[in-house]
């Protein structure tokens, strides 16, 4: 066996693995394989258009959690959103408000959390009562159009 | 009547050759694991196909990354979204350009040379003499090459991906004056490893198998006169490129890759 050849091929493989790690760490988000550590709460929205599983939840622009699941509540026909907060953010008041917000004018949707003032904090299985649904540009334009046509 | 006869004859010939090539590929895959001596020749082949292709792959990746960035920047500037340029490049390269262009370059470089090598071995009766010495030419010659292709194409693809985003970052930060933090964080937030990077690498493995499929068939079963060997190498490149592009579409749209 040619030892120099082995060395060169070893270098090639190492280089490929280095590239893989670089891309995994610096140029992509690696979804955790194991269950994330944190606590889940849920909230009901009238409209979550544009919000996806893994959309971020932010307080003052800082990511504190992700949307874990979105299901339809069959009795009230509202969207039930399950949110996973990271364990280190465990001082979120129970009367906080969640709103579906857009990054920029055309950017992706995320959940913005405005902290409340209660001294009780959100725990595993908690509910966020105060929510604001996403603002639909189409509906808004539709309303303006109909109100104009009413005036005529 | 004559035309129908010819069409039928051609169809049978094509089906026959596809069957022959597939059987050859499967027997090569199975026989690789039955012979331990293949491991050293596997390393030799990875050196020839992987390491020796590096300059070609890295140069193309670097320039493709650079030119793609400049072109996308011009278009995105119109929407005021030029900060997304890295994300657009990374998604395009990881999902499509990386595996496909690496595959096309790989057919041209490794596939054609394998066809020529096998064709020459056949012309000079090396294959027949191996059979006389009861050495299985498929296990001895073809298997390590096939496995080397399946292994080295994904590795070349990941290197292509890395070099192209480095080239793109170089242009974006150095020449277009973008902020490095925005550039990298856009990529990091928008690209998912399991959803965008890994399917590309899996696709590259399939392309490696396809390159082997075509090149071994034309090498071993093609006509083996000196002029025909050259023609066979050309056939490998043409058919291999078409197969890669066709299978790319099939993998993406029907099997839900990427």
């Amino acid at each position: 066996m040619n030892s120099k050849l082995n060395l060169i091929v070893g270098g090639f493989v190492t280089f490929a693995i280095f590239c893989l790690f670089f891309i995994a760490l610096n140029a992509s988000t690696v979804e955790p394989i194991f269950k994330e550590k944190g606590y889940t709460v849920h909230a009901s929205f009238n409209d979550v258009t544009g919000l996806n599983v893994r959309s971020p939840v932010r307080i003052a622009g800082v990511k504190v959690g992700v949307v874990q699941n979105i299901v339809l509540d069959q009795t009230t026909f509202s969207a039930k959103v399950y949110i996973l907060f990271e364990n280190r953010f465990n001082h979120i008041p129970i009367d906080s408000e969640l709103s579906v917000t857009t990054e920029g004018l055309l950017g992706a949707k995320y959940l913005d959390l405005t902290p409340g003032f209660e001294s009780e904090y959100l725990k595993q299985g908690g509910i966020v009562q105060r929510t604001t649904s996403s603002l639909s540009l189409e509906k808004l334009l539709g309303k303006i159009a109909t109100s104009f046509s009413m005036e005529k | 009547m004559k035309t129908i006869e010819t069409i039928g004859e051609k169809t049978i010939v094509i089906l026959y050759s596809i069957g022959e090539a597939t059987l050859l590929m499967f027997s090569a895959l199975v026989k690789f694991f039955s012979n331990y001596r293949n491991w050293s020749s596997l390393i030799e082949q990875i050196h020839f196909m992987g390491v020796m292709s590096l300059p070609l792959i890295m140069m193309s990746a670097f320039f493709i990354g650079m030119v793609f960035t400049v072109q996308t920047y011009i278009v995105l500037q119109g929407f005021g979204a030029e900060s997304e340029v890295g994300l657009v490049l990374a998604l395009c390269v990881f999902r499509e350009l990386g595996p496909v262009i690496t595959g096309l370059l790989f057919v041209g470089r490794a596939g054609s040379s394998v066809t020529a090598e096998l064709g020459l071995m056949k012309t000079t009766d090396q294959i027949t003499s191996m059979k006389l010495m009861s050495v299985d030419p498929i296990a001895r010659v073809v298997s390590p090459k096939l496995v080397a292709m399946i292994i080295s194409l994904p590795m070349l693809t990941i290197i292509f991906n890395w070099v192209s985003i480095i080239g793109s970052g170089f242009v974006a930060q150095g020449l277009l004056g973008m902020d490095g933090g925005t550039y990298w964080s856009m990529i990091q937030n928008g690209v998912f490893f399991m959803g965008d990077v890994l399917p590309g690498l899996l696709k590259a493995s399939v392309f490696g198998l396809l390159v082997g499929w075509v090149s071994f068939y034309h090498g071993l079963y093609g006509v083996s006169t000196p002029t025909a060997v050259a023609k066979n190498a050309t056939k490998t490149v043409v058919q291999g490129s078409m197969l890669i592009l066709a299978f790319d579409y099939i993998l993406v749209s029907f099997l839900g890759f990427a």
Side-chain angles (χ1 to χ4, degrees):
Chain A
M1 220 192 252
N2 189 342
S3 66
K4 198 184 159 206
L5 201 69
N6 287 357
L7 186 73
I8 295 170
V9 173
F12 173 62
V13 175
T14 319
F15 184 40
I17 290 172
F18 161 75
C19 292
L20 188 71
F21 269 87
F22 181 88
I23 286 171
L25 296 177
N26 268 355
S28 67
T29 310
V30 182
E31 297 96 296
I33 300 162
F34 303 104
K35 206 176 179 303
E36 289 165 76
K37 281 181 182 165
Y39 59 101
T40 356
V41 301
H42 60 88
S44 292
F45 290 83
N46 287 328
D47 187 4
V48 287
T49 311
L51 199 71
N52 293 316
V53 174
R54 300 206 63 80
S55 291
V57 181
R58 296 193 172 121
I59 298 177
V62 180
K63 188 179 168 187
V64 293
V66 291
V67 172
Q68 202 178 31
N69 199 5
I70 301 172
V71 290
L72 182 71
D73 191 327
Q74 296 271 12
T75 50
T76 60
F77 291 105
S78 59
K80 204 170 180 186
V81 177
Y82 289 88
I83 299 156
L84 183 82
F85 285 109
E86 286 175 39
N87 261 340
R88 57 199 170 108
F89 302 109
N90 54 1
H91 279 61
I92 299 167
I94 206 160
D95 62 338
S96 300
E97 186 179 341
L98 278 168
S99 52
V100 183
T101 320
T102 314
E103 290 173 12
L105 189 61
L106 300 165
K109 291 271 167 64
Y110 71 97
L111 281 179
D112 187 61
L113 193 140
T114 315
F117 304 100
E118 286 280 336
S119 53
E120 256 183 86
Y121 302 121
L122 283 172
K123 286 195 287 282
Q124 168 70 30
I127 306 170
V128 179
Q129 301 282 3
R130 301 169 60 185
T131 58
T132 315
S133 296
S134 60
L135 185 80
S136 167
L137 212 59
E138 290 91 346
K139 278 185 186 169
L140 207 67
L141 287 172
K143 272 182 192 169
I144 294 171
T146 46
S147 69
F148 271 122
S149 59
M150 294 271 274
E151 278 172 23
K152 271 181 188 174
Chain B
M1 206 58 205
K2 191 80 181 163
T3 36
I4 297 171
E5 216 177 281
T6 350
I7 290 171
E9 209 181 295
K10 286 258 161 88
T11 317
I12 288 174
V13 167
I14 290 171
L15 285 180
Y16 187 80
S17 60
I18 289 177
E20 235 177 355
T22 315
L23 284 178
L24 173 69
M25 187 182 70
F26 276 115
S27 66
L29 262 184
V30 170
K31 277 172 185 167
F32 177 79
F33 297 99
S34 59
N35 188 354
Y36 292 107
R37 254 174 284 166
N38 277 340
W39 292 106
S40 63
S41 52
L42 174 69
I43 289 177
E44 224 166 75
Q45 290 303 323
I46 290 181
H47 176 256
F48 173 68
M49 290 170 186
V51 182
M52 304 287 263
S53 305
L54 267 186
L56 172 70
I57 298 291
M58 284 171 72
M59 285 294 277
S60 353
F62 197 67
F63 286 115
I64 285 171
M66 291 205 296
V67 83
F68 200 97
T69 310
V70 175
Q71 294 278 25
T72 330
Y73 188 83
I74 294 167
V75 176
L76 286 179
Q77 217 174 14
F79 304 106
E82 61 264 34
S83 63
E84 310 252 350
V85 70
L87 178 60
V88 173
L89 174 110
L91 282 178
C92 280
V93 166
F94 292 171
R95 296 176 79 117
E96 277 307 320
L97 288 182
V100 171
I101 292 185
T102 314
L104 293 179
L105 293 172
F106 193 77
V107 176
R109 204 202 156 276
S112 61
S113 80
V114 163
T115 305
E117 191 188 333
L118 290 178
L120 202 69
M121 281 177 93
K122 205 182 158 196
T123 319
T124 50
D125 286 333
Q126 289 181 51
I127 303 278
T128 324
S129 44
M130 269 187 187
K131 277 182 189 155
L132 275 178
M133 292 186 288
S134 86
V135 174
D136 188 352
I138 294 178
R140 185 76 192 87
V141 184
V142 178
S143 298
K145 286 188 200 295
L146 180 64
V147 177
M149 279 176 177
I150 297 172
I151 293 176
S152 44
L153 199 45
M155 290 207 287
L156 288 172
T157 304
I158 193 80
I159 291 170
F160 184 99
N161 291 351
W162 179 70
V163 176
S164 62
I165 52 170
I166 291 292
S168 157
F170 169 71
V171 170
Q173 292 167 41
L175 305 178
L176 301 172
M178 272 180 62
D179 176 49
T182 329
Y183 178 84
W184 287 108
S185 69
M186 281 309 264
I187 296 181
Q188 200 169 8
N189 289 331
V191 178
F192 290 105
F193 189 76
M194 296 288 186
D196 298 322
V197 182
L198 272 190
L201 299 183
L202 279 174
K203 237 165 37 177
S205 285
V206 177
F207 294 165
L209 200 71
L210 288 177
V211 175
W213 197 39
V214 178
S215 58
F216 299 137
Y217 174 74
H218 285 305
L220 278 184
Y221 293 119
V223 188
S224 55
T225 58
T227 38
V229 168
K231 271 184 192 160
N232 288 340
T234 314
K235 269 186 202 163
T236 300
V237 176
V238 173
Q239 294 177 3
S241 311
M242 288 196 301
L243 269 180
I244 284 178
L245 294 170
F247 265 78
D248 184 37
Y249 180 73
I250 292 172
L251 286 176
V252 169
S253 70
F254 295 124
L255 299 181
F257 269 49

